[in-house]
Amino acid sequence: MEYRYLGGSGVKVSNICLGTMTFGRSEDVQRPGQCDEQLAHKILDRYKELGGNFIDTANVYAMGMSESIIGSWLAKHKREDFVLATKVRFSMDPKNENAGGLSRKNIMWSIEESLRRLKTSYIDLYQIHAWDPATPIEETMRAMNDLVKAGKVLYVGASNLKGWQMQKIMDLCEYKGFNKWISLQSQYSLLNRELEWELVECCMNEGLGILPWSPLKGGWLTGKITRNSAPQGSRVAYAQARPENVSESHPNHSNFANEEKIWNLLDTVQGIAQTEGKTMCQVAIRWLLQKDGVCSVIIGVKTLEQLEENMGASSGWKLSTEQMAKLDEASAVALPYPYNMLSRTSANRHRDTWTH
């Protein structure tokens, strides 16, 4: 396992982070592939054996069950051996109007609930799960800063933000003297590169570590999905049968099936995998690990076999410059304005320097 610094902090994390949205089965969580506590603990055991030390969850994952499962496992291990991340934002009680959002009231209640479920006295990385337009961001940031001062949170991060939102947070940290936020968790993969339009530059300039989630785009980059169908029991097949439940973590089959570019990209990934003696999953994750600003890639698994395969992307090999360029080209996204114009300006900068 390789280890990298978590953003601008001095904390080292394994470059593969174990995401735990799949932990916990309940009537409220009907997605396929959810792990019960026994299987989740086996996955956590093996992740630890392989050198993993970075675990990511959220209070809303299986409505608290994911945190509880991690807490029961963590109670049997040395807490200091792990970097534990969780999140706050979405409602945990539909009957309580204040049990969601990023108000001071909800943050202070949510941290205590997460600490109780996780059976720990502190969270290493506490993240806002998304922007809350109803709450002034300074209120949110002051509450998070107070948690750091109280020792209940060591570092603060964000997830699923726009470029201007992340930059505003970093500017307020400096202006108000708040503890600097250290990371941005965002969807990023060969099938979702829009993060590169603005957020990557923001993170690089501000010293934020990038934590990609859904690196395999709900199974699309595993090689198991064909032009005609998705495997039974997969999230893609589940979404296909229930269009109302489609999400970023499990897009349905029709989202991509009619796009020839997608199949050409998958052929490219498969070709490189065969050349390197790796799997398509490993190539897709390795591509992310070699992108600017990425400190750890968040994987989600439902079997020990998937864990073993995904962890094989961590160390011992690299994609060549030529292979990275080939994947970049095959997965390129058409730039909208103003990014298309600015990219041409940037490309001509050196020439303009010499001609004017």
Side-chain angles (χ1 to χ4, degrees):
M1 183 64 59
E2 288 182 358
Y3 300 88
R4 299 177 178 180
Y5 287 107
L6 178 56
S9 77
V11 175
K12 288 186 177 181
V13 294
S14 48
N15 65 354
I16 302 291
C17 172
L18 182 60
T20 61
M21 191 173 73
T22 58
F23 289 5
R25 290 174 174 168
S26 70
E27 293 182 0
D28 296 326
V29 183
Q30 298 297 323
R31 295 185 300 267
Q34 292 297 120
C35 303
D36 60 19
E37 185 167 6
Q38 183 178 12
L39 176 55
H41 281 198
K42 289 180 180 179
I43 289 172
L44 285 162
D45 286 340
R46 184 56 180 154
Y47 177 69
K48 176 180 180 292
E49 289 174 0
L50 292 170
N53 75 339
F54 192 15
I55 302 169
D56 178 76
T57 186
N59 59 352
V60 77
Y61 291 170
M63 296 305 288
M65 292 184 66
S66 175
E67 287 186 330
S68 294
I69 288 171
I70 294 168
S72 63
W73 180 84
L74 199 60
K76 299 180 289 186
H77 296 81
K78 188 179 177 182
R79 171 66 179 90
E80 283 303 303
D81 287 346
F82 304 96
V83 178
L84 185 60
T86 191
K87 311 179 195 72
V88 58
R89 163 64 173 90
F90 300 111
S91 178
M92 291 294 290
D93 183 356
K95 297 179 181 179
N96 183 347
E97 292 295 326
N98 289 307
L102 294 175
S103 67
R104 169 178 284 271
K105 180 176 177 61
N106 185 52
I107 289 172
M108 294 303 175
W109 174 71
S110 294
I111 189 68
E112 297 298 336
E113 291 293 290
S114 287
L115 291 172
R116 176 181 59 80
R117 287 189 290 262
L118 289 163
K119 292 181 171 59
T120 183
S121 62
Y122 70 96
I123 303 297
D124 294 281
L125 178 63
Y126 202 37
Q127 304 156 104
I128 61 170
H129 212 154
W131 188 265
D132 177 11
T135 304
I137 188 58
E138 187 175 333
E139 176 183 339
T140 298
M141 294 180 68
R142 195 173 295 279
M144 298 291 265
N145 204 63
D146 287 347
L147 292 178
V148 175
K149 288 182 178 180
K152 295 180 180 182
V153 169
L154 302 187
Y155 300 97
V156 181
S159 183
N160 304 314
L161 296 189
K162 298 176 183 178
W164 73 265
Q165 295 168 341
M166 191 73 256
Q167 188 62 57
K168 184 175 181 69
I169 286 171
M170 299 310 290
D171 289 344
L172 279 171
C173 283
E174 184 173 356
Y175 180 64
K176 295 290 184 179
F178 296 146
N179 283 276
K180 190 175 181 181
W181 293 29
I182 66 168
S183 61
L184 173 66
Q185 186 177 143
S186 190
Q187 184 179 187
Y188 192 14
S189 73
L190 283 164
L191 284 172
N192 195 298
R193 294 182 59 186
E194 288 79 3
L195 183 80
E196 297 173 356
W197 293 352
E198 199 160 304
L199 279 162
V200 168
E201 286 185 293
C202 175
C203 290
M204 296 292 288
N205 288 335
E206 297 294 337
L208 289 155
I210 299 172
L211 304 173
W213 60 264
S214 197
L216 303 177
K217 194 58 177 178
W220 271 97
L221 291 164
T222 65
K224 298 175 182 177
I225 297 172
T226 69
R227 290 178 183 267
N228 299 319
S229 65
Q232 292 299 312
S234 69
R235 295 195 174 201
V236 174
Y238 168 80
Q240 184 73 9
R242 301 167 182 81
E244 71 280 3
N245 291 323
V246 172
S247 78
E248 291 293 336
S249 64
H250 48 282
N252 69 29
H253 188 266
S254 61
N255 277 48
F256 296 141
N258 296 323
E259 296 185 32
E260 194 61 29
K261 177 185 174 181
I262 302 298
W263 301 110
N264 292 336
L265 168 61
L266 296 181
D267 288 342
T268 300
V269 175
Q270 185 177 45
I272 292 174
Q274 291 174 343
T275 299
E276 294 298 315
K278 302 294 181 181
T279 67
M280 290 178 65
C281 296
Q282 291 168 342
V283 170
I285 294 171
R286 190 68 226 178
W287 176 82
L288 278 171
L289 287 170
Q290 293 178 216
K291 300 301 284 186
D292 290 342
V294 172
C295 54
S296 188
V297 174
I298 302 170
I299 62 169
V301 301
K302 58 185 180 183
T303 66
L304 287 167
E305 291 75 19
Q306 289 177 344
L307 176 69
E308 297 278 355
E309 180 180 1
N310 290 351
M311 294 289 273
S314 172
S315 63
W317 66 289
K318 288 186 176 180
L319 294 167
S320 68
T321 301
E322 293 75 17
Q323 288 171 331
M324 287 293 290
K326 194 172 182 180
L327 289 168
D328 285 348
E329 181 179 0
S331 62
V333 180
L335 294 174
Y337 174 85
Y339 306 105
N340 56 353
M341 184 186 80
L342 294 176
S343 67
R344 292 193 298 270
T345 302
S346 177
N348 291 331
R349 184 179 302 155
H350 181 73
R351 184 191 66 189
D352 291 344
T353 301
W354 288 98
T355 57
H356 291 83

